[in-house]
Amino acid sequence: MQTFPLTGFDTFLLALEQQYNQNDIAGNTCYYVIDLEGALDHEALADRIISNEYFQVLSSLRYEKEKALGIPKWHLRSKDTTRIEHFVTDQLIPQVVLDRRLGADVGCLSLDTVARSDGRSTVILSWNHLLMDGYGAVLFLKRLLGSDDSFDPALLMSYQAPVYNLSAFWKATKAKFFIDYTSRPRLSMISPPLYDVNSQERVSVLDFDPKQVRQIEAAALHSGARFGRSAFFLACIARAVQSVLVQRGDGVHNFWIPVPRDNRRKGALGPIIGNRLSFLFYRLKKKQMSSIESCVDAINNQMRDQIKHKSHESYNHLMDFMKWLPLNLYYYLVKRRGGNAIASFLFTVAADHPSDLETVMGQRVINALSLPANAYPPGLTFAMMNFRGSLKLMILYHTQALSDAEYSGMAKQLQQELLMDESQG
């Protein structure tokens, strides 16, 4: 396993790094934050992690695109294992960690421990999204911090060679036409096209307890969400973002939102390395966002139509063909519809915290957050996640895309509409 190709989705993320590197932002960095009930023995945990074979492999991987018309590949370098750092702070993620740029030169993975003023502690896994998706990170954490750390190379990676034939090319072409059609102007974007170096990154979490989760599920059914809660969440989020634009006095046209779709089978045990994702694409018109019900209906119809026609599989073929392109050309083709933006805003459903990772080094896990990468533009990302019957809505934003005052108003509207609580209005 000295070298192997990136997946199609990995290469898509690599193309996006052209913009992040130019603006010096960590647009591809994801975080998994695990809060523990008591104090953690940092040195003991660091020794355990550094000796873990999964950690050794992942921290040694580097990616390269060797030539203009060549497929990017992972290379296993010398086992220069990443250092485990320790911080004392009550900040959710220490600023030093947020300022890291994980990538080709320094490695795509880091792990840190944090001591809190109340005697509790936190473990933070940071990784470049190219390395693995959120579900891969959960699988990795189970082998890193769980009771079973036995090394199985088969769990690390599984590369399936892309199919390059006329049928695959036709499906890829249909996917390209579909994307061009659904992302046609006029689109409303939450962020300005050019990045301001004074923009600050924020992370906020809306927590819903089990009683509120039942209330949300009832509201989702009442609104017509027939394929889980995600359509209901996306509808409420779209309406909240629309309200921000209305308050700004900006014209509201159409939203274009690509939503990741996991290609793995439910309960899959691997692989850890590589993004096994595709996209479903939603175009929401202004009139469809006039009510939650009409917005959910539009999302349901588009979801059903795309799954029926296997649009996500066609998009996989498109990403496989585009792996050969020079990265600058790839990025130009991705972002050209929105000027510099790849979406009106971003939305994803994070993997649930695993039920078999209840303790770390004898300390009980009391909270967990799987924070996705917050690409700029658009600079506004929403993610929902389950944890022991509760539900978390994580909101990541750049202050250039959304001011703190705008966030407060948006969060209030989201809580009201998700719970269908008119008393908060």
Side-chain angles (χ1 to χ4, degrees), residues 195-357:
Y195 181 72
D196 184 347
V197 294
N198 296 316
S199 181
Q200 299 179 23
E201 295 183 63
R202 302 274 197 263
V203 178
S204 185
V205 182
L206 302 181
D207 284 297
F208 300 96
D209 61 31
K211 180 180 178 182
Q212 291 174 315
V213 171
R214 291 191 293 272
Q215 198 172 337
I216 290 171
E217 289 173 343
L221 286 173
H222 182 267
S223 71
R226 298 190 296 274
F227 309 107
R229 299 173 300 193
S230 61
F232 177 62
F233 266 84
L234 182 54
C236 292
I237 289 168
R239 283 170 47 83
V241 174
Q242 180 191 41
S243 294
V244 171
L245 295 177
V246 169
Q247 290 166 5
R248 288 179 183 176
D250 295 346
V252 177
H253 307 292
N254 304 291
F255 284 162
W256 192 65
I257 311 125
V259 177
R261 183 183 190 275
D262 196 338
N263 289 329
R264 289 181 177 88
R265 296 188 178 210
K266 191 172 183 179
L269 299 178
I272 293 173
I273 299 171
N275 286 268
R276 314 291 157 164
L277 303 172
S278 185
F279 278 118
L280 295 177
F281 300 91
Y282 299 99
R283 182 183 179 91
L284 299 179
K285 301 176 182 178
K286 180 180 178 179
K287 63 181 180 181
Q288 293 170 331
M289 292 184 282
S290 60
S291 70
I292 296 176
E293 290 77 12
S294 61
C295 197
V296 167
D297 185 59
I299 295 167
N300 279 340
N301 291 336
Q302 293 179 54
M303 181 191 302
R304 183 174 57 246
D305 187 65
Q306 290 183 65
I307 291 175
K308 176 182 176 181
H309 292 95
K310 299 183 178 180
S311 298
H312 54 287
E313 295 181 8
S314 295
Y315 186 69
N316 286 338
H317 287 297
L318 176 61
M319 289 193 292
D320 285 336
F321 277 102
M322 292 184 71
K323 285 202 294 186
W324 295 88
L325 295 177
L327 293 176
N328 287 334
L329 175 59
Y330 195 142
Y331 180 71
Y332 169 77
L333 293 173
V334 167
K335 58 89 178 176
R336 65 187 181 88
R337 285 292 184 177
N340 242 8
I342 58 171
S344 297
F345 59 86
L346 297 173
F347 171 75
T348 189
V349 179
D352 298 345
H353 183 75
S355 59
D356 51 353
L357 187 57

Side-chain angles (χ1 to χ4, degrees), residues 59-111:
S59 61
S60 301
L61 285 173
R62 304 291 186 271
Y63 56 84
E64 293 180 8
K65 186 162 173 57
E66 298 168 349
K67 52 188 177 180
L69 295 177
I71 292 179
K73 293 183 179 180
W74 289 108
H75 297 266
L76 188 62
R77 301 304 188 195
S78 60
K79 294 193 176 182
D80 182 18
T81 307
T82 303
R83 181 184 172 192
I84 314 299
E85 296 194 40
H86 180 65
F87 302 91
V88 179
T89 179
D90 286 331
Q91 187 178 3
L92 176 63
I93 301 175
Q95 193 61 46
V96 172
V97 177
L98 290 172
D99 290 341
R100 284 192 192 128
R101 302 294 178 257
L102 302 175
D105 298 328
V106 297
C108 295
L109 184 76
S110 68
L111 193 136

